[in-house]
């Protein structure tokens, strides 16, 4: 169950990060509100996993999944460039997240 909550926390982290660009330096109300709401929900969900998962594992998976999601959606939604080097780095993050999940305790 803690892993599912951690995945939900990562989804909210992705929403948090993707809200930053349209907030236009926090000058637009609704995207700025999204940044705040999604960020708080993400951190609260992350904190709920720490009684079952090691903090280092939970934090690394949270940021790793968040990074993967933001890079992927940045390409899809914002037309960001995708190179072989970026794909290789994304793959390394994914391998790290999978490794932490396979070796992590619950």
């Amino acid at each position: 169950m803690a892993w599912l909550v951690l995945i939900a926390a990562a989804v909210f982290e992705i929403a948090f990060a993707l809200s930053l660009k349209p907030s236009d330096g926090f000058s637009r109300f609704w995207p700025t509100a999204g940044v705040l709401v999604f960020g708080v929900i993400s951190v609260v969900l992350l904190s709920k996993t720490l009684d079952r998962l090691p903090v280092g594992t939970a934090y690394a998976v949270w940021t790793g999944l968040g990074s993967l999601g933001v890079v992927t959606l940045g390409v899809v939604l914002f037309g960001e460039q995708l190179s072989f080097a970026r794909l290789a780095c994304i793959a390394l993050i994914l391998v790290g997240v999978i490794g932490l999940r396979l070796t992590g305790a619950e």
Side-chain angles (χ1 to χ4, degrees):
M1 183 66 165
W3 286 101
L4 292 175
V5 175
L6 185 58
I7 290 169
V11 169
F12 279 101
E13 183 195 9
I14 294 165
F16 154 77
L18 291 176
S19 299
L20 287 169
K21 187 168 185 151
S23 77
D24 197 26
F26 301 115
S27 65
R28 298 179 59 219
F29 178 77
W30 289 113
T32 299
V35 169
L36 296 172
V37 170
F38 297 141
V40 168
I41 291 170
S42 179
V43 171
V44 168
L45 289 175
L46 171 65
S47 72
K48 298 291 185 189
T49 69
L50 298 181
D51 62 336
R52 304 280 309 255
L53 300 173
V55 67
T57 299
Y59 185 77
V61 170
W62 179 65
T63 58
L65 291 176
S67 298
L68 289 170
V70 171
V71 169
T72 302
L73 290 172
V75 169
V76 172
L77 299 175
F78 301 124
E80 296 175 0
Q81 296 298 312
L82 191 58
S83 65
F84 177 76
R86 284 187 88 184
L87 282 173
C89 292
I90 292 168
L92 289 172
I93 293 170
L94 183 58
V95 167
V97 167
I98 291 169
L100 287 168
R101 170 59 182 108
L102 293 175
T103 61
E106 181 171 348

